[in-house]
């Protein structure tokens, strides 16, 4: 995903919160921001995050949290905000 992102332009990124036991969404976002700066809007996908995790994700640069299951309507609402 990072190789693709480095070679392509995108406006929005959706990153699942829990990718592996040692890789979480904010790790990937940090790498993407190092490559692309603030040229895109980032959202984290999750079925649950507690209040502290939500604050940490927003501090890391995510525009918002989209809770699973994701629908096209739910995605559109977040992107427009």
């Amino acid at each position: 995903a990072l190789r693709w992102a480095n070679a392509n332009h995108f406006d929005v990124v959706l990153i699942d919160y829990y990718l592996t036991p040692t890789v979480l969404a904010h790790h990937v976002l940090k790498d993407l921001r190092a490559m692309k700066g603030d040229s895109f809007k980032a959202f984290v996908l999750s079925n649950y995050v507690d209040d502290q995790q939500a604050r940490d994700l927003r501090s890391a640069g995510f525009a918002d949290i989209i809770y699973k299951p994701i629908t096209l309507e739910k995605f559109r609402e977040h992107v427009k905000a």
Side-chain angles (χ1 to χ4, degrees):
L2 292 174
R3 272 185 269 142
W4 181 91
N6 195 37
N8 293 279
H9 172 77
F10 52 93
D11 297 315
V12 175
V13 65
L14 303 173
I15 305 172
D16 199 34
Y17 177 69
Y18 182 81
L19 298 165
T20 72
T22 58
V23 179
L24 300 176
H26 63 279
H27 299 128
V28 175
L29 182 59
K30 181 180 175 183
D31 291 342
L32 288 172
R33 293 281 187 218
M35 280 190 268
K36 299 290 188 173
D38 292 331
S39 64
F40 61 92
K41 197 170 188 178
F43 296 93
V44 67
L45 302 175
S46 183
N47 59 345
Y48 173 80
V49 293
D50 63 31
D51 290 341
Q52 183 59 51
Q53 289 167 320
R55 284 189 295 274
D56 292 345
L57 289 165
R58 288 188 178 96
S59 292
F62 284 99
D64 207 352
I65 300 159
I66 302 175
Y67 290 95
K68 297 176 184 178
I70 185 172
T71 63
L72 184 55
E73 289 173 5
K74 193 183 294 187
F75 174 70
R76 284 182 179 151
E77 287 174 19
H78 281 78
V79 171
K80 288 179 185 178

